[in-house]
């Protein structure tokens, strides 16, 4: 699924990485527990999370996660943007809940990691 | 190559900076991305554990052509029951740590899962030392 398509399905706004709207991603994983995310063995999935702080972006960096969705309209801070920029991470913000994002994206064909 | 880093307990804004720098070095050395992921995931979990559970610590990374050896030593409360701490789901993390997205009790088992050699030495009331070794192929 294209990043642009994901954005339109969840009414999302790209806060960093808008040059990569045409990128394709196949798998998704949703969690607020960073150690849970760090157990995912594949690379190249999109992370759905309600956790909006420097450690959620750090976790994406360490896990080679190139895309993340921050749910429920939380404020992405400048230090988060800095890490995202350095590590080439696209951050999408949406007002939808984690549950709703996961439901919509699953129904439209994004695959679960497990 | 030897790299060393200091880690401050409680300093979540810098937690992961050592892992991030080591990731950059391994990328420059053209190490296989799946191996890099194993190294930085194990190191990041161990680094966050110092921030979350100890007072201060240091990380020494020794990189050779065959692999990486990571030594993490902290001054902290130590781990009274290592077997229990290694059990998935066991955590004594504080509310503050949980608010940062940690405290699932999955870090130590995941370090073990990602490394070729993993040992814990700990003295209650003094601190904890981890030895993590990962081969590059
Ligand atoms: N460096 C350390 N010093 C003191 N206690 C530690 C240290 N590392 C781990 N522990 C203890 O072992 C427990 C389990 O650690 P583990 O990393 O598996 O889980 P966690 O840190 O609680 O949560 P998670 O890693 O999933 O975010 C901790 O809750 C803590 O009680
Ligand atoms: Mg931990």
């Amino acid at each position: 699924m294209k990043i642009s398509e994901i954005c339109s399905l969840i009414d999302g706004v790209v806060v960093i990485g808008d040059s990569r709207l045409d990128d394709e991603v196949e798998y998704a994983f949703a969690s607020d527990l960073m150690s849970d995310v760090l157990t995912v063995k594949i690379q190249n999935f999109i992370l759905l999370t309600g956790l909006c702080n420097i450690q959620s972006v750090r976790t994406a960096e360490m896990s080679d996660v190139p895309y993340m969705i921050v749910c429920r309209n939380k404020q992405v801070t400048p230090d988060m943007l800095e890490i995202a920029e350095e590590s080439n991470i696209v951050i999408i913000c949406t007002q939808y809940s984690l549950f709703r994002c996961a439901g919509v994206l699953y129904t439209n064909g994004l695959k679960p990691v497990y | 190559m030897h790299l060393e880093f200091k880690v401050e307990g409680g300093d979540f804004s810098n937690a992961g900076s050592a892992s991030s720098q080591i990731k950059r070095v391994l990328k420059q050395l053209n190490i296989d991305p799946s191996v890099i992921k194993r190294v930085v995931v194990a190191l990041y979990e161990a680094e966050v554990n110092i921030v979350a559970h100890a007072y201060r610590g240091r990380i020494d990374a020794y990189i050779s052509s065959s692999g990486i050896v990571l030594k993490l030593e902290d001054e902290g409360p130590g781990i009274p029951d290592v077997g229990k701490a290694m059990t998935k789901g066991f955590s004594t993390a504080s509310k503050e740590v949980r608010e940062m997205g940690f405290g699932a009790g999955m870090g130590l088992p995941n370090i073990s899962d990602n490394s070729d050699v993993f040992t814990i030495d700990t003295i209650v009331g003094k601190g904890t030392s981890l030895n993590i070794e990962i081969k590059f192929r």
Side-chain angles (χ1 to χ4, degrees):
Chain A
M1 191 183 291
K2 276 207 164 90
I3 298 302
S4 56
E5 199 182 337
I6 291 175
C7 286
S8 61
L9 285 169
I10 60 169
D11 196 15
V13 176
V14 173
V15 293
I16 185 160
D18 53 9
S19 62
R20 288 163 62 203
L21 285 168
D22 284 334
D23 283 15
E24 292 264 358
V25 66
E26 204 178 341
Y27 289 93
F29 188 79
S31 186
D32 290 346
L33 293 170
M34 294 304 106
S35 294
D36 195 13
V37 178
L38 289 161
T39 63
V40 178
K41 294 285 180 276
I42 65 162
Q43 284 137 308
N44 222 42
F45 60 92
I46 186 163
L47 171 65
L48 282 66
T49 185
L51 189 75
C52 184
N53 64 23
I54 194 155
Q55 293 314 318
S56 57
V57 196
R58 278 276 185 230
T59 298
E61 176 193 359
M62 301 309 161
S63 307
D64 292 324
V65 170
Y67 318 103
M68 65 187 275
I69 298 173
V70 177
C71 302
R72 298 276 290 146
N73 259 349
K74 298 193 181 92
Q75 192 61 46
V76 176
T77 57
D79 49 358
M80 290 173 70
L81 290 174
E82 201 177 301
I83 296 174
E85 168 114 60
E86 273 171 21
S87 306
N88 256 317
I89 297 165
V90 178
I91 304 181
I92 301 162
C93 285
T94 171
Q95 65 201 20
Y96 287 16
S97 69
L98 184 58
F99 177 73
R100 185 169 176 189
C101 284
V104 167
L105 295 175
Y106 181 85
T107 311
N108 282 276
L110 259 191
K111 294 181 192 154
V113 178
Y114 298 108
Chain B
M1 188 192 310
H2 174 210
L3 301 165
E4 62 171 272
F5 305 90
K6 295 233 178 316
V7 184
E8 273 306 307
D11 183 8
F12 269 99
S13 60
N14 286 310
S17 61
S19 306
S20 180
Q21 287 176 60
I22 287 176
K23 181 174 187 183
R24 214 165 301 150
V25 171
L26 295 178
K27 265 189 171 165
Q28 277 164 5
L29 293 172
N30 271 319
I31 306 299
D32 182 327
S34 65
V35 177
I36 296 182
K37 177 163 174 171
R38 283 172 55 214
V39 172
V40 297
V41 163
L43 178 58
Y44 181 51
E45 286 286 10
E47 187 179 354
V48 170
N49 274 357
I50 298 180
V51 175
H53 307 298
Y55 315 136
R56 68 192 63 82
R58 59 176 285 159
I59 299 173
D60 288 280
Y62 303 90
I63 303 169
S64 70
S65 55
S66 62
I68 186 164
V69 176
L70 301 164
K71 305 227 181 253
L72 296 99
E73 275 177 38
D74 71 55
E75 290 168 42
I79 305 174
D81 186 340
V82 174
K84 214 169 168 186
M86 282 295 296
T87 310
K88 273 187 195 164
F90 175 84
S91 176
T92 61
S94 65
K95 188 168 152 276
E96 288 70 32
V97 169
R98 287 174 202 276
E99 273 165 7
M100 294 307 298
F102 288 90
M106 294 171 82
L108 290 176
N110 199 25
I111 296 172
S112 172
D113 203 34
N114 279 294
S115 46
D116 295 313
V117 175
F118 176 44
T119 52
I120 305 178
D121 287 301
T122 182
I123 300 171
V124 173
K126 252 191 117 188
T128 302
S129 304
L130 304 189
N131 179 53
I132 299 167
E133 298 179 21
I134 295 170
K135 294 184 184 70
F136 289 156
R137 68 193 83 242

